[in-house]
Amino acid sequence: MALRGRRNRSRPTDAAPGAGRAHRADDTAGRGGKPGAGPDDEEGAAADVGPDGTRGDAPGRDGGRRGAGRLGGYPGAVRRRLREDGLGPAPVLLALAVTWIVFQALNDNFLSPRNLSVLSVDIVGTGMIAVGIVFVLLIGEIDLSVGSLAGLAGALFAALNVNLGMPEWLAVIIAVLAGASAGAVQGFSFARIGVPAFVVTLAGLLVWNGVMLYLLGPDSSVNFSEDGLVATLTSRYFGSAVVAYGLAGLCTAAYLLVSHHDRRRRAAAGMPCRARSGIWARTALLAAVAFTAVHVLGRFEGLPLALLIFLGVLTAADLLLRRTPYGRQVLALGGGAEAARRSGVDVVRVRISVFVVSGTLASVGGLFISSRLTAASQISGSGVLLINAIAAAVIGGTSLFGGRGSAWSALLGVLVIQSVGSGMALLGVEPPVQFMITGGVLFIAVVFDSLARRSAEARGRI
């Protein structure tokens, strides 16, 4: 206690107002306080509690002190972020840009409106599954059953709708609930019984794949209506320029308003906040991307409904992880189960819930894949789908060790994977070569993840 008192007395007097609170939050977490009791998190500080619930990597701990001093302003915040959190999504964005430039140089059709429109729909099924994988990876675990669950959802929908004549909307609900139930069973087996997640989800991979094959029958494929609800998910486009540009403008305006609201709230709470110049810069970048995408996609068939649904799911998942107590508990659990438990986190409940999320999104992704094919088949539950979904989450920046990542990692990763696949398909490259290249990209991403973790350990942040 004496040592702690000396450390507190030696704290500089010019610290940001949030610094003392961040330190007290750390001490409280170590003694059993609940994480996430303070104001909501800002982007980039996924949990003020820190990934393990005890570190307190809140911006107010030392970010406010440095931001108010020699690193004041937005450029200083950027430099501090690079030192403490690494490059973030920059390497993935650079890899994506290089991929597009190379394939465009080799084939002029790669960046054509038609190919980009096809790409924007192709990423949705795998991307949905990858979002669920992100939740599981954030607690430091893995779910190997998502590919089989995706195939099971498509097969169950086809069996209920085509074979039994059930209405499509009801068959969709049952298929999604089946995925959520399977995830709950696997999560309970892991969190409550103690079966390793790798083993229980590997068993799930085999069981759900067997159920899928049973439902599909000897033909191993069931076709359904091309004009029905599920088929419409990937065949519907918004061709009206007014609607498309209106949505782009609405999303940009919403981001600007929410960012300014968060800035005012954090400033009122005495916490470090993003500079106005940074908010305007991010808003301008978002507007450029949104309106460019609308313009390019509008030159083919318009804005795909599937892409809009995917972006909506990503936004909801991001808000859940960054701005709710539940999201902070997921991140805290990824930093260490024992530390999270001492911080008041219901470890069993959170572990079960992430597998439920994973199973649910795997089923949704499976329905989108079946919609693309207008059929339920073994392709929807193939091992390639599992590999691509996990690779998308990891390549996008979600750590295999837990505690670091975001829902948007799934979008970045699946864009890289599908872009490589699309480009090589245009060039006539054989599938075995595609597998080798995808595996190489995944290996590089894992190496960077391991190096980042070692660097964080050397700085004492883990």
Side-chain angles (χ1 to χ4, degrees):
M1 295 299 294
L3 180 60
R4 178 177 297 177
R6 287 195 295 271
R7 183 167 60 247
N8 292 340
R9 286 195 296 271
S10 64
R11 186 181 301 158
T13 58
D14 62 341
R21 278 188 294 274
H23 279 283
R24 288 193 294 272
D26 288 351
D27 294 339
T28 302
R31 293 190 296 268
K34 290 186 179 294
D40 289 345
D41 300 303
E42 180 67 22
E43 181 179 353
D48 285 353
V49 176
D52 63 358
T54 57
R55 293 205 292 275
D57 285 338
R61 186 171 190 174
D62 58 358
R65 182 164 59 247
R66 283 185 275 186
R70 58 187 178 87
L71 293 181
Y74 186 64
V78 172
R79 290 194 295 270
R80 182 174 69 252
R81 177 82 174 268
L82 290 176
R83 282 201 309 268
E84 296 180 351
D85 299 326
L87 297 175
V92 186
L93 294 173
L94 178 61
L96 182 62
V98 170
T99 300
W100 284 15
I101 292 172
V102 169
F103 282 123
Q104 177 64 17
L106 297 175
N107 191 309
D108 293 338
N109 294 322
F110 181 77
L111 292 181
S112 65
R114 177 186 180 86
N115 191 58
L116 290 180
S117 180
V118 171
L119 180 64
S120 68
V121 177
D122 286 343
I123 67 174
V124 175
T126 306
M128 288 284 191
I129 302 172
V131 175
I133 288 290
V134 166
F135 277 79
V136 179
L137 290 179
L138 283 175
I139 67 169
E141 300 298 337
I142 192 69
D143 188 350
L144 300 178
S145 68
V146 290
S148 296
L149 285 176
L152 175 61
L156 183 58
F157 165 80
L160 294 175
N161 175 245
V162 178
N163 298 340
L164 300 180
M166 182 178 292
E168 284 198 54
W169 65 269
L170 183 57
V172 167
I173 293 176
I174 293 177
V176 173
L177 289 178
S181 301
V185 170
Q186 294 176 163
F188 182 84
S189 301
F190 162 62
R192 179 66 69 180
I193 301 178
V195 182
F198 178 87
V199 176
V200 72
T201 57
L202 179 60
L205 181 154
L206 300 174
V207 172
W208 311 133
N209 190 68
V211 176
M212 176 193 71
L213 295 176
Y214 177 80
L215 292 175
L216 292 176
D219 295 334
S220 299
S221 178
V222 178
N223 298 324
F224 48 81
S225 172
E226 296 182 358
D227 301 320
L229 173 64
V230 172
T232 304
L233 292 175
T234 55
S235 63
R236 176 70 184 276
Y237 292 82
F238 294 97
S240 172
V242 175
V243 174
Y245 283 104
L247 287 174
L250 182 63
C251 292
T252 303
Y255 175 81
L256 179 63
L257 293 176
V258 170
S259 298
H260 277 294
H261 173 73
D262 287 345
R263 186 184 187 280
R264 289 193 299 268
R265 183 178 58 182
R266 293 176 68 87
M271 301 179 65
C273 54
R274 180 170 290 126
R276 289 189 177 89
S277 59
I279 294 176
W280 283 106
R282 285 169 175 253
T283 303
L285 179 60
L286 175 62
V289 172
F291 283 97
T292 300
V294 167
H295 172 71
V296 173
L297 295 175
R299 292 171 58 191
F300 182 56
E301 292 186 343
L303 200 59
L305 172 63
L307 179 62
L308 292 178
I309 295 175
F310 182 39
L311 292 177
V313 170
L314 283 171
T315 302
D318 181 64
L319 293 175
L320 178 65
L321 286 174
R322 293 194 302 110
R323 299 179 182 276
T324 65
Y326 170 76
R328 287 188 285 271
Q329 290 173 2
V330 170
L331 292 164
L333 182 56
E338 185 58 32
R341 184 179 292 106
R342 293 182 179 182
S343 299
V345 175
D346 188 341
V347 174
V348 173
R349 181 184 65 84
V350 173
R351 281 176 169 171
I352 294 176
S353 68
V354 296
F355 280 95
V356 172
V357 171
S358 179
T360 303
L361 290 177
S363 297
V364 174
L367 291 175
F368 273 93
I369 295 173
S370 297
S371 171
R372 194 68 168 148
L373 302 172
T374 61
S377 67
Q378 298 183 33
I379 298 176
S380 303
S382 65
V384 176
L385 178 61
L386 168 64
I387 295 171
N388 285 342
I390 296 177
V394 176
I395 291 173
T398 302
S399 176
L400 285 169
F401 302 101
R404 179 168 59 84
S406 71
W408 296 101
S409 304
L411 174 62
L412 295 177
V414 77
L415 270 175
V416 172
I417 291 176
Q418 293 292 348
S419 296
V420 171
S422 175
M424 289 190 292
L426 288 175
L427 297 176
V429 178
E430 295 295 328
V433 179
Q434 298 183 28
F435 291 150
M436 289 187 284
I437 294 178
T438 302
V441 174
L442 175 60
F443 174 75
I444 293 172
V446 173
V447 168
F448 272 105
D449 182 30
S450 299
L451 292 176
R453 181 176 176 83
R454 291 180 59 183
S455 177
E457 289 175 343
R459 294 196 302 268
R461 298 189 63 205
I462 294 182

